[in-house]
Amino acid sequence: LPAMPAPLTALIGLRSRLADDLLAYLDALVMELSELPAYFPAHLRGAGAAAGFDAIRQVVQVIEDRQAFADWRKAEARTAEQERAAGRDCTPRAYLPSRLRPEQAGADDPRADRQGAAERLPPPPVPWDEATAARFRQAVILADPGFGKTWLLKHEAIRLARLAAGQLRAQSHGVEALVVPIFVRLSQLAHSDDALEAALIRLVLARVPAAHRSAAGDAALSAYLAAQLKNGRCAVLIDAWDEVAPAVLGQQGAVQAGPGSRQRLGERLRAFAARFLGPLRLTSRLVGYGGPVLPEAHELELVAFTPAQIEAFAGVWFADDERRQALLTLLREQSTLHGLARIPLMLTLLCRTFEREGTLPERRVDLYETCLRGLLRDWLWLDKEAVVGKDPELGGSYLQALLELLAGTAHALHSAGREQFTGEQLGEAIGGVLKSLHNGDELFGRTPSGLIEELQDKGVLVRMGDGKPEDGADPDYLFLHRTFQEYLTARALARQANAKRKRYARIVRDLADRQWWLPDWREVIVLLAGMLDDPLPLLQALAAPNGDDIARSRLALAGLALGEVVGERFTGNAALCRVRDDITTAAIDWWREQRRNGTGELAGYVARSLPTLARRKGRYDG
């Protein structure tokens, strides 16, 4: 046979190299996104061991009434996030538009007139699967922390990467017919100010293993990706809109929207969305979303786990049916734990705790303490079969000091209003606590940056940004979940109050008087009650009617705080029982009065404390 022309041979070789590089990228993407966090047990972090989690379909609710959603977000998003994070309120939807759901429109509901009722009912929540993904070309996926926004996006990227890699290996599709997934955190796009297409191509090239990189290969892959993006043959999955800080006001009051600001990224994102024909996904917390980022996109709310999803998750985690059923029974019997279990991240930690302890604490303060000790030491021992003495740094004194360091750091950051913080801010907070601890530098034997790396490796801190020291970027961090920062802040406050006996009552009363009305401090105060040597002064200050608001929010805090006080403390303690009963009577009286007056919305916050008062056996009017 005659030899093929040299240009044709070169073309075939170039396309073969392109296919190899593309396959290397897809495999690297699957490997990177499939890696489970350190707090998952070793037997689930192995290759393919956690595949069962892929079968658990998260559920989304289409937000059809954008104005109702925007109004709710401005007024209630922060409070609702805190209620759900505490396990007290995991309603299927974060906001309630005027239209009724089928399960809400019963025969006895006076609002459920039959004429035109079907047109007013919004569609039910739907599982996020291939069919749902195909319905929405552009979608903004909203949820609270820990509800699995990143998990959903990673699952979508892994599914598409495996599909494309399979087609490529089987040679059933040409490279132009593939749909190439591109997964990025929005903070990665803040490093430049060019068009998103160029930034996305750079990030794809960075994921190709070094052994496959060459100047010619990079050029061919870049040209291929540019064509795929232009033709809508990529799926662009962008995580964490809320992690990018908004622009600050300049000296003259003008907004200085620099290249890395949320405003400038929003402009670039909208320009890209207007010309991009393929699937585009963006995730964000409800708090910090700020309004329609992509005008043409559907807004979807990721809702809490259902009982069926909780059972499925526990089934993947525990191969032993007896242990799985024991956990599910505990979750059903303890209402607060059941609420926490509907948050995927908290369910993970509940499963891990039950795996180690064989039970679950009733109080949240005990649960958070157990989880932190597990992350810092106990779960590591469980995986590595380590014993006390093998590693002195994991011993009891070091662990206790590390918890005190974390508590002081969390308190400093929380007091400064920082839920997300730069590495510099975190290092300064840790450095300040190290100076205050006795022999802190000698005990830890490392710099703040070394401690940050350790806490990140153990899963207590989560790194949000992707900046590297050499490019001058300062990555952002946050605690694994907001509730851990609140718990640690309360721990630091309790340590201060318990150590200052003469000023004890004044410290806790000042906290109740000055901070109770600030949303960011309410959960801290509730958790604080569970760690004080004597919670009575705090409960009395919260229950006092003088200074409360029109909805009796401080009274509600008193009721919720009672749930964190150890139940045995009420035995034989007449003063504590009396304040519990006074709070119960005041809460029920307020709730009944508002219901009679037709102002039931004012009793909403107090109503959430009634189950806690029941668990603490509060008496009404004696």
Side-chain angles (χ1 to χ4, degrees), residues 117 120 145 156 291 297 346 358 436 438 440 471:
R120 294 200 311 274
E156 182 80 353
M346 296 309 297
S436 67
H438 179 64
D471 61 23

Side-chain angles (χ1 to χ4, degrees), residues 29-30 33 152-162 181-183 237:
L29 183 67
V30 170
L33 300 187
L152 182 148
L153 221 56
K154 285 183 175 181
H155 178 272
E156 182 80 353
I158 290 169
R159 180 182 69 81
L160 292 171
R162 285 174 174 164
I182 304 177
F183 175 91
L237 314 168

